[in-house]
């Protein structure tokens, strides 16, 4: 694996390691990393009903967040063929209430 940061959307790769999800990764994501972990470390994840503290910056409570491929964003990723994942709802300026949901695969131009 490549290591993950607290709050990253992750999936289990073919060689049985947890890796950060990119927008080109199919819908096999399993949740958000509960802590930062190195490439060879065990990774705990959550997919719903947990608050991850400090994974957002300057968020507005109630805003919906999606995975950009590298971070949480309020903008739904657009590019053709991307997988769109909802990651949760902002609880306050820095904390995310986790609600991982596969939304769709965008159309390929």
């Amino acid at each position: 694996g490549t290591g993950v940061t607290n709050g990253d959307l992750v999936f289990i790769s073919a060689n049985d390691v947890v890796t950060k999800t990119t927008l080109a990764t199919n819908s096999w994501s399993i949740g958000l990393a509960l802590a930062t972990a190195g490439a060879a470390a065990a990774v705990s994840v959550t997919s719903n009903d947990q608050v991850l503290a400090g994974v957002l910056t300057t968020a507005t409570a109630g805003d919906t967040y999606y995975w950009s491929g590298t971070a949480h964003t309020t903008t739904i990723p657009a590019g053709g063929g991307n997988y769109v994942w909802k990651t949760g709802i902002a609880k306050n300026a820095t904390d995310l209430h986790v609600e991982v949901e596969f939304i769709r695969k965008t159309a390929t131009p």
Side-chain angles (χ1 to χ4, degrees):
T2 57
V4 295
T5 301
N6 182 28
D8 283 352
L9 182 65
V10 296
F11 76 105
I12 299 176
S13 68
N15 57 349
D16 197 27
V17 295
V18 173
T19 305
K20 184 186 306 191
T21 301
T22 67
L23 294 181
T25 304
N26 61 21
S27 57
W28 295 342
S29 293
I30 58 172
L32 302 183
L34 288 172
T36 299
V43 177
S44 295
V45 299
T46 186
S47 59
N48 285 308
D49 294 332
Q50 179 144 353
V51 174
L52 289 181
V55 298
L56 304 174
T57 56
T58 63
T60 299
D63 281 355
T64 300
Y65 276 80
Y66 303 90
W67 185 245
S68 74
T70 57
H72 302 278
T73 179
T74 56
T75 304
I76 295 176
N82 286 335
Y83 290 85
V84 177
W85 288 88
K86 174 184 169 187
T87 56
I89 307 291
K91 179 180 177 187
N92 54 41
T94 59
D95 302 342
L96 181 72
H97 182 266
V98 179
E99 295 177 8
V100 175
E101 179 184 357
F102 175 68
I103 303 297
R104 68 173 187 256
K105 181 179 180 183
T106 56
T108 304

